[in-house]
Every structure is written in structure tokens, then in C-alpha cells.
């Protein structure tokens, strides 16, 4: 019978906590028993045994070996009881965390599953609209882009469903970075134009071969779109949002920089916490409502892929986020797509 993944994770956490606390308790017991051992052995020395005492003094003699054996048994029992007690307490302590994790995964899985049918219907209707339009219709590119957006959204929903069921990447996927950056820039270009902001992809450091990362295309696109959306939301009108890709022997770093007012009112490291907010900059520019989820999702995607995300720089001149992901090496990188 297949056991629930969340239940397995909770049980493992409880065991780890129990073992750690038991080891600490065992250390304390060993120290105490060791001190008693030392005292008994000291009292058993010839000098102490033959020490003269007053006539009215009562002395009790015990067998040294029997006493040391009893102490050893008591110490072992104390260690065992401490381990069992801490394991039991840890199990009870992590139950609420396990239930919260189960509810979170259930909600994400249910929501993702329920969205798949409407997205399928939407895609079918867009295809119907495409078939009814003539090839020379100037609205055709927009409808084509709408169909691609629908396909991308369906892929995002599928990725959320895989994440909720803990059926993620197996580490064998290889995704060219440049193509996904270009796709994310195209996705956000419409939003950027509404805010009079330009998104610029400054190229990458992959040489003649496009650098690739060890993750699937959909989560990579999700992370890039979230970073660009955050940058566009904080960029002043008339400014550029820059995307730059650089490669090291083991990682690929994608830097997204805006020219806003920087992170204020919050520790920069906390912007990756869910529902965390900085202080909105004053100004006439219209700002969208932020729920403090986008950057948290970027960190979750990065960690799931074995990478990280950090604040590279922030200040009055703007903010730069750096997404670092494992690079595909050993000649496994796909060739750079031919641009026409």
C-alpha cells in the first residue's frame, strides 16, 4: 500500500527530532552517571576505605561492582525512556504541521485540476476562432498569441499539479535558457508597454552554445515571468528592465534589474517570504496590488531545482534579483536555436 507522502515526511521529521533530543538527553545521562562512577571509584580507593572515623559514626558499605552495574542499567534505561518520550512528544508536535501541509497540497491539487477543463475549453474556442479567420486578417497574430498564452497557462497548471503531488523533475531535463528568457520577455511585454516600460534582454554568456539548466521549461518560465512581473511593477515609466544571463562552470545566473526606488521598509532577505511587503514608493505611478507571493514562488521553484534566488543589489537606483540554477554540463547542452 502506498503511503501518503506528507505523512511520510512528517514521520521522518518526528524521528529526526526524537533522535536529536535523545542524543542530547543521552549525553546528559552519560555525564551524570560518569560523575557518579568517578565518585564511587574514588570512595573505593584504599585511602578512603581505611580512613578513621569517630566511634559514633554510622557507615554503610555496598558492593562496588553491584552499585556500578546498577548505575549502568539505570543510565541505559534513562536514555531509552528519554528517546521514547522525545519521539512521542515530537510526533504530537508535528501533527499540526503535517495537517497544514496536507491541506495546502490538497487545495493546490484540487484548484489545478478544476482549472484544466476550463483551459481546455478556452483553447478549443481559440482554435475555432483561428480556423474562421483568414490568413491576411491583421488580428491573426493576436489570436495566435492568445492560443500560445492558453497553452502556457495549461502548462503552468500541470506544473502546479505535479508540485502538489510531489511528482517533480527527475533531474534529467535540460532547458535552454535564452529561449525561455525571450519567451518570458514576450509574455510581459504587453504589460510593460501599458506602463511605458521596456524589457531588454542583454544576451547571455553561453558562447556559441546556448547555456541550459537542469530543470523543465515550465517552472523556469514561471520563475522568469514572476521576476519580470515584479520588476515591471516597480519600474518607473520610461525606464528599462534589464535581463542578463551569465554562466559559470556549474551554474547559470539570470539577473533581472529594475530602475525603481529599491526595497524599503523590510529586510531585503525577507522579500522571499510569503505575504511579505516592503513600503510602496511614493509617486504618481499607478501600482498594482501585490500579495507578496510571486517572489516566494520563485524561491520555491529555484530550491526545487537545486538552485537559489537572492537580492543582488538594491537601493535608490533600482533592485536586482539573481536567479541561480544548476547548469547542464558535459556536452549535454542543446545547440542554440537558429534565429531568423
Amino acid at each position: 500500500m502506498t503511503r501518503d507522502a506528507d505523512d511520510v515526511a512528517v514521520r521522518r521529521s518526528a524521528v529526526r527530532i526524537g533522535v536529536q533530543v535523545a542524543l542530547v538527553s543521552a549525553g546528559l545521562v552519560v555525564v551524570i552517571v560518569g560523575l557518579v562512577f568517578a565518585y564511587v571509584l574514588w570512595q573505593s580507593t584504599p585511602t578512603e576505605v581505611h580512613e578513621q572515623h569517630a566511634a559514633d559514626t554510622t557507615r554503610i558499605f555496598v558492593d562496588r561492582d553491584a552499585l556500578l552495574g546498577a548505575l549502568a542499567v539505570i543510565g541505559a534505561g534513562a536514555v531509552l525512556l528519554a528517546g521514547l518520550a522525545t519521539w512521542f512528544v515530537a510526533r504530537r508536535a508535528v501533527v499540526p504541521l503535517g495537517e497544514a501541509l496536507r491541506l495546502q497540497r490538497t487545495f493546490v491539487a484540487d484548484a489545478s485540476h478544476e482549472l484544466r477543463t476550463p483551459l481546455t475549453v478556452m483553447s478549443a474556442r481559440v482554435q475555432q476562432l483561428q480556423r474562421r479567420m483568414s490568413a491576411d486578417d491583421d488580428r491573426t497574430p493576436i489570436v495566435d498569441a492568445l492560443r500560445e498564452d492558453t497553452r502556457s497557462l495549461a502548462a503552468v497548471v500541470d506544473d502546479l499539479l505535479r508540485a502538489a503531488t510531489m511528482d517533480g523533475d527527475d533531474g534529467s531535463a535540460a532547458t535552454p535558457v535564452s529561449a525561455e528568457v525571450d519567451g518570458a520577455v514576450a509574455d510581459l511585454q504587453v504589460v510593460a508597454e501599458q506602463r511605458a516600460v521596456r524589457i531588454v534582454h542583454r544576451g547571455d554568456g553561453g558562447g556559441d552554445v546556448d547555456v541550459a539548466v537542469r530543470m523543465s521549461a515550465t517552472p523556469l518560465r514561471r520563475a522568469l515571468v514572476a521576476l519580470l512581473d515584479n520588476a515591471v511593477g516597480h519600474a518607473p515609466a520610461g525606464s528599462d528592465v534589464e535581463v542578463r544571463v551569465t554562466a559559470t562552470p556549474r551554474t547559470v545566473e539570470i539577473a533581472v534589474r529594475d530602475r525603481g526606488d529599491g526595497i524599503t521598509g523590510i529586510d531585503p532577505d525577507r522579500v522571499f517570504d510569503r505575504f511579505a511587503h516592503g513600503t510602496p514608493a511614493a509617486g504618481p505611478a499607478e501600482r498594482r496590488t501585490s500579495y507578496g507571493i510571486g517572489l516566494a514562488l520563485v524561491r520555491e521553484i529555484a530550491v526545487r531545482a537545486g538552485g537559489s534566488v537572492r537580492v543582488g543589489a538594491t537601493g535608490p537606483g533600482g533592485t536586482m534579483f539573481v536567479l541561480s540554477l544548476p547548469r547542464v554540463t558535459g556536452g549535454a547542452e542543446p545547440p542554440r536555436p537558429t534565429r531568423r
Side-chain angles (χ1 to χ4, degrees), residues 172-215:
S172 61
T175 302
V177 174
S178 183
E180 294 306 318
V181 171
D182 289 340
V185 169
D187 290 343
L188 269 296
Q189 203 66 256
V190 175
V191 178
E193 289 174 356
Q194 293 177 347
R195 300 180 58 84
V197 174
R198 187 177 64 148
I199 305 177
V200 181
H201 178 194
R202 296 297 187 189
D204 59 69
D208 295 332
V209 177
D210 185 15
V211 290
V213 291
R214 197 173 296 282
M215 65 187 300

Side-chain angles (χ1 to χ4, degrees), residues 22-44:
L23 289 175
V24 174
S25 302
L28 293 175
V29 171
V30 168
V31 170
I32 295 173
V33 172
L35 292 175
V36 175
F37 262 75
Y39 179 76
V40 171
L41 292 175
W42 174 64
Q43 288 293 317
S44 301

